[in-house]
């Protein structure tokens, strides 16, 4: 079946602009996760959704970052007033339930100029 | 969460078995051992996971020592497409997957 999809695959934006990144999880998966990966670095956890609620926002690096999930499906990660240090690959993952294995999307490469 | 130690890099000849070790000596009783890999410029890919018993699926086998302090991921017949960074991740009740540095496996013709 279809895996996790993310859009756009690449995004170049100017410093100070807002960006929205989208994630479509695997159908039927209740849990959704956002991570980011800076060049040559490991994955950094950002936020986790169970259904539409986000019980764990501990990884969001600043209040410029927010995320929502509607209908228990699609999620949007929004970064306001982007900074150059926000440049990274943003990865989304979903799992059938929170304790199950996570399946990752291909990521969105964000470049802030 | 348990800390892990993996060799930074390994080579394997195409067609041969690749055996990737992981030390997780501080693993707790409720933590599973997950293995993922990340091929260049792609998202991480789930491979296999286990708690105590050895596991096998279409991708790999996972051997966990009886004391659970270490495990080995086995790719039985490595191909060039198996070249990737492989991550061993102990995971209990936490929501996120905590990726370390992993092992960069290079499969050579």
């Amino acid at each position: 079946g279809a895996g996790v999809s993310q859009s756009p695959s690449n995004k170049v934006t100017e410093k100070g602009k807002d960006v929205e990144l989208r994630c479509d999880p695997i159908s039927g998966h209740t849990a959704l996760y956002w991570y980011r990966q800076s060049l040559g670095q490991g994955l950094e956890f950002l936020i986790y959704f169970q259904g539409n609620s986000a019980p764990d926002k501990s990884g969001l690096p600043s209040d410029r970052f927010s995320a929502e999930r509607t209908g228990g499906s699609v999620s949007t990660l929004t970064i306001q007033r982007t900074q150059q240090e926000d440049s990274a690959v943003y990865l989304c993952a979903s799992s059938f339930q929170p304790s199950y294995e996570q399946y990752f999307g291909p990521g969105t490469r964000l470049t802030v100029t | 969460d348990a800390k892990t130690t993996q060799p930074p890099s390994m080579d394997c000849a195409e067609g041969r078995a690749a055996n990737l070790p992981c030390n997780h000596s501080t693993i707790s009783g409720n933590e599973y051992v997950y293995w993922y890999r990340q091929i260049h410029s792609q998202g991480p890919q789930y491979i296999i996971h286990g708690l105590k018993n050895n596991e096998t699926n279409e991708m790999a086998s996972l051997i966990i020592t009886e004391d659970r302090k270490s495990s080995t991921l086995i790719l039985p017949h490595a191909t060039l497409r198996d070249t990737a960074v492989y991550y061993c991740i102990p995971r209990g009740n936490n929501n996120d997957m905590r990726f370390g540095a992993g092992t960069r496996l290079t499969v050579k013709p």
Side-chain angles (χ1 to χ4, degrees), chain A residues 21-96:
Chain A
L21 312 180
R22 176 188 168 106
C23 172
D24 279 274
I26 293 172
S27 177
H29 279 195
T30 64
L32 185 148
Y33 311 78
W34 283 98
Y35 296 81
R36 74 176 175 181
Q37 187 172 31
S38 301
L39 186 63
Q41 302 297 311
L43 272 73
E44 175 188 4
F45 168 74
L46 298 178
I47 189 170
Y48 148 68
F49 287 91
Q50 174 57 31
N52 290 338
S53 64
D56 189 349
K57 302 180 182 179
S58 62
L60 294 177
S62 77
D63 58 8
R64 297 187 294 105
F65 288 71
S66 63
E68 64 176 15
R69 188 180 186 197
T70 54
S73 181
V74 171
S75 176
T76 302
L77 177 70
T78 301
I79 309 173
Q80 296 179 308
R81 305 181 303 281
T82 52
Q83 303 294 313
Q84 287 187 331
E85 60 263 28
D86 299 334
S87 296
V89 176
Y90 288 80
L91 291 155
C92 175
S94 71
S95 63
F96 180 64

Side-chain angles (χ1 to χ4, degrees), chain A residues 33 35 37 45 98 100 102, chain B residues 36 38 44 91 95-97:
Chain A
Y33 311 78
Y35 296 81
Q37 187 172 31
F45 168 74
Y100 283 46
Q102 298 179 16
Chain B
Y36 279 74
Q38 190 169 24
R91 183 188 183 208
N95 300 314
D96 57 312
M97 304 298 297

Side-chain angles (χ1 to χ4, degrees), chain B residues 35-46:
Chain B
W35 282 82
Y36 279 74
R37 71 181 182 184
Q38 190 169 24
I39 296 170
H40 183 62
S41 298
Q42 297 183 22
Q45 179 187 21
Y46 166 76

Side-chain angles (χ1 to χ4, degrees), chain B residues 79-99:
Chain B
T79 71
L80 299 179
R81 287 176 295 181
D82 291 323
T83 292
V85 179
Y86 287 77
Y87 299 95
C88 162
I89 306 169
R91 183 188 183 208
N93 296 323
N94 49 293
N95 300 314
D96 57 312
M97 304 298 297
R98 299 183 182 178
F99 290 74

